[in-house]
Amino acid sequence: MLDKKPVLLSGIQPSGHLCIGNYLGALKNWKALQNSYDSIFLVVDMHAITVKQNPAELRQRCLAYVAQYIACGIDPEKSLIVIQSHVPQHAELMWVLNSITYMGELGRMTQFKDKSKKYEANINAGLFTYPVLMASDILIYQADLVPVGADQKQHLELARDLAGRFNTQYSDTFVLPEPYIPKTGARIMSLQEPDKKMSKSDINLNNLIAILDSPNTIRKKIKRAVTDSGSEIKIEESRPGISNLITLYSLLTEKSIDKVENQFEGKMYSDFKAELGEVIVDFLKPIQEKYNDIIQDKKYLEDVLKNGADEAYYRARKTLTKVYRKVGFISKK
Ligand code: TYM
């Protein structure tokens, strides 16, 4: 029955602290869409090592991310949760796709440019070819839909271009994946520097709300969040700080922006921030409780990952066999 639904695929890099930006830009939609799609959710550990990681921490973080996916509403009975490195075909397909990807295309990727500035001492080839691995994650499962935040749009366009290029060069093989980018929540901004996106791997933890932050940490971070000069609680392009906080309030309470602005008309920033802090605390409480249960149950997590890897391996092998045949590799007898 699973196979009849269109395929949905997405993933998150296990780097830093999974944050409310990742939830609103990605996980929230994964949860909502998983009922109508045959869904695969990846923890992309191979992408993560393009930036230096502590191996022991990476291992722990991968499991913690799986537990957080489930705590945020991904149901392993409905969807596959897969560790990228458990399915070798991602890297194998990447090699084939590398051969139809132009250096110029990769050089234009804004994330590569940003990361090259941020990690100046470690501009490695993996950082450069990272979008090809991402294309491979998507195409190996013949994904129809890819729900992501706005920052991944350019990478998705490349995945579509590569699928189209391969199909033209070798005959129809890959589904062209469609992006799914939410209208609001696709770009949650940093709390201290609201002209930058909130990033889970930011070294300044005051810039982000982590899914697992304690209530007091959340209250403190929101209290300290940068608001702009002025006093009105209203969304305006010239006031990214307060606009971001209003967006957060609106998304987490599912109230329209108008309604939130009306609710806080005439109130002070401090009143609004205190309420927003409580909204976030209440929103994350059940997620954190569920996480605390799941993370202790290693056997359950292993079972989820084994099931995910076995099923994903089977599907990925099917695509890779086809691809190898099309490019002219002799099949192994
Ligand atoms: P990553 O790990 O940086 O982010 C994971 C997801 O969260 C979204 N996101 C945000 N959404 C709203 N506001 C923010 N501030 C914010 N920050 C991050 C991202 O858009 C993303 O959807 N390359 C990808 C991971 C990846 C992938 C894939 C995604 C690897 N293979 C295949 C989709 C399909 C990345 O680094 O996302």
Side-chain angles (χ1 to χ4, degrees):
M1 199 188 112
L2 259 178
D3 283 346
K4 293 209 184 86
K5 294 179 183 169
V7 177
L8 179 150
L9 180 129
S10 198
I12 301 183
Q13 266 195 89
S15 54
H17 306 267
L18 196 66
C19 73
I20 197 102
N22 302 122
Y23 180 84
L24 293 169
L27 275 157
K28 179 181 169 193
N29 302 313
W30 299 4
K31 178 184 167 191
L33 292 163
Q34 69 180 337
N35 294 322
S36 333
Y37 286 81
D38 172 11
S39 308
I40 304 166
F41 299 114
L42 303 171
V43 176
V44 294
D45 52 351
M46 292 165 74
H47 276 103
I49 60 163
T50 55
V51 170
K52 272 212 182 80
Q53 302 286 341
N54 171 314
E57 282 175 15
L58 178 62
R59 239 186 310 273
Q60 267 186 349
R61 204 180 306 121
C62 277
L63 269 195
Y65 270 46
V66 174
Q68 284 174 87
Y69 283 12
I70 300 170
C72 284
I74 302 308
D75 180 355
E77 299 286 322
K78 293 182 187 154
S79 308
L80 299 177
I81 301 179
V82 181
I83 304 283
Q84 186 184 32
S85 65
H86 287 181
V87 184
Q89 289 86 355
H90 291 237
E92 292 176 287
L93 176 60
M94 181 199 184
W95 185 255
V96 176
L97 296 178
N98 268 341
S99 309
I100 60 162
T101 308
Y102 306 120
M103 302 282 281
E105 285 177 304
L106 295 179
R108 280 196 293 277
M109 295 287 136
T110 42
Q111 189 165 308
F112 172 68
K113 291 188 210 161
D114 292 348
K115 285 199 173 170
S116 305
K117 271 189 217 140
K118 194 167 165 196
Y119 305 103
E120 228 179 356
N122 184 21
I123 308 176
N124 58 70
L127 215 50
F128 189 63
T129 54
Y130 173 115
V132 190
L133 181 57
M134 178 162 160
S136 164
D137 297 339
I138 297 167
L139 303 183
I140 196 89
Y141 300 110
Q142 305 285 4
D144 297 280
L145 194 74
V146 185
V148 285
D151 61 332
Q152 296 301 318
K153 188 164 177 260
Q154 199 185 22
H155 289 161
L156 260 175
E157 280 161 7
L158 180 75
R160 274 178 73 88
D161 288 349
L162 294 181
R165 193 172 302 157
F166 188 96
N167 289 351
T168 308
Q169 207 163 315
Y170 295 104
S171 84
D172 223 10
T173 308
F174 293 118
V175 168
L176 261 56
E178 286 292 334
Y180 178 101
I181 298 172
K183 281 202 184 72
T184 40
R187 197 170 159 80
I188 300 297
M189 308 309 279
S190 150
L191 297 178
Q192 296 294 319
E193 297 164 81
D195 51 333
K196 282 190 352 196
K197 71 157 194 154
M198 183 183 284
S199 163
K200 62 175 143 46
S201 47
D202 202 317
I203 36 172
N204 179 359
L205 294 181
N206 284 326
N207 277 335
L208 61 109
I209 300 282
I211 301 290
L212 300 179
D213 270 345
S214 73
N216 276 342
T217 304
I218 294 170
R219 290 184 186 110
K220 249 189 259 162
K221 286 182 178 179
I222 294 296
K223 202 169 159 193
R224 285 189 198 147
V226 166
T227 36
D228 317 82
S229 56
S231 57
E232 261 190 307
I233 294 157
K234 227 172 170 22
I235 290 219
E236 270 169 37
E237 220 173 292
S238 59
R239 298 160 76 216
I242 189 71
S243 299
N244 189 41
L245 299 183
I246 296 171
T247 304
L248 279 175
Y249 193 102
S250 154
L251 287 167
L252 295 176
T253 56
E254 293 181 5
K255 288 182 185 169
S256 69
I257 298 284
D258 278 353
K259 210 164 175 188
V260 178
E261 287 176 344
N262 286 339
Q263 184 182 336
F264 290 98
E265 205 183 333
K267 298 249 172 74
M268 307 219 296
Y269 278 167
S270 53
D271 299 327
F272 170 65
K273 281 177 160 183
E275 280 210 37
L276 174 60
E278 295 316 310
V279 162
I280 301 176
V281 167
D282 290 347
F283 182 83
L284 291 179
K285 190 168 176 250
I287 294 178
Q288 295 180 350
E289 284 170 359
K290 194 161 176 201
Y291 169 83
N292 288 333
D293 281 347
I294 300 168
I295 195 65
Q296 312 213 11
D297 195 346
K298 293 285 179 299
K299 168 83 176 67
Y300 170 68
L301 288 171
E302 277 166 20
D303 287 350
V304 165
L305 291 178
K306 175 157 182 9
N307 178 53
D310 288 349
E311 176 65 23
Y313 184 93
Y314 166 78
R315 297 189 196 188
R317 200 180 52 182
K318 219 163 127 184
T319 305
L320 193 72
T321 304
K322 215 187 214 180
V323 168
Y324 274 10
R325 185 162 39 79
K326 298 237 179 161
V327 299
F329 293 168
I330 294 175
S331 63
K332 191 172 136 229
K333 298 293 172 209

